[in-house]
Amino acid sequence: MNQENVQQGVHLTFYCHLRAKHDGMLLSEWLLGQAKEHGLGGGSVFRAIAGFGRHGVLHEEQFFELADDLPVKIEFLLREDQAELLLQLVRVADVDATYARWPASFAVVSKH
């Protein structure tokens, strides 16, 4: 019998460029590392094929010279307190990124 423990929390997504860096490392790696270091569950990084941000510059996968500067999003499903901790770490580190957050319900589906 499947038993799911549905949790209420936050879907937290950061948006930046593929090659954006913080403290000498890729920002996506830094964010995942901070989450892991603080025991905040899992995160994933997704690369876009095209996009533009607050500066209005369009980046597309088809242009070779811009291929390394595509938009990425780094997503986390977290409890509210975990989302606040990660956002506080980002603020204290003075990270330059855009984020979005919205309520989420999540659970693990398992046969066991």
Side-chain angles (χ1 to χ4, degrees):
M1 179 175 184
N2 290 349
Q3 183 166 336
E4 297 177 22
N5 182 16
V6 177
Q7 298 183 56
Q8 300 303 312
V10 174
H11 185 165
L12 183 62
T13 302
F14 293 89
Y15 300 90
C16 64
H17 291 286
L18 182 65
R19 298 290 173 209
K21 292 196 175 188
H22 181 74
D23 279 347
M25 44 186 326
L26 292 175
L27 180 54
S28 57
E29 291 177 359
W30 185 87
L31 286 165
L32 293 175
Q34 291 297 305
K36 185 175 179 183
E37 181 179 325
H38 290 87
L40 302 183
S44 299
V45 179
F46 301 92
R47 186 180 72 176
I49 59 171
F52 71 93
R54 63 184 178 217
H55 301 296
V57 177
L58 180 63
H59 300 277
E60 295 182 271
E61 192 170 45
Q62 65 188 1
F63 296 152
F64 178 75
E65 66 274 7
L66 296 176
D68 282 347
D69 205 20
L70 291 169
V72 294
K73 66 179 183 174
I74 305 98
E75 294 187 341
F76 300 91
L77 289 174
L78 304 167
R79 295 187 322 261
E80 182 69 39
D81 62 315
Q82 293 174 322
E84 283 303 320
L85 174 58
L86 185 54
L87 285 170
Q88 186 60 25
L89 293 167
V90 166
R91 289 179 185 115
V92 167
D94 200 26
V95 169
D96 182 21
T98 300
Y99 75 91
R101 65 184 287 169
W102 53 93
S105 299
F106 50 91
V108 174
V109 178
S110 175
K111 293 181 184 180
H112 307 295

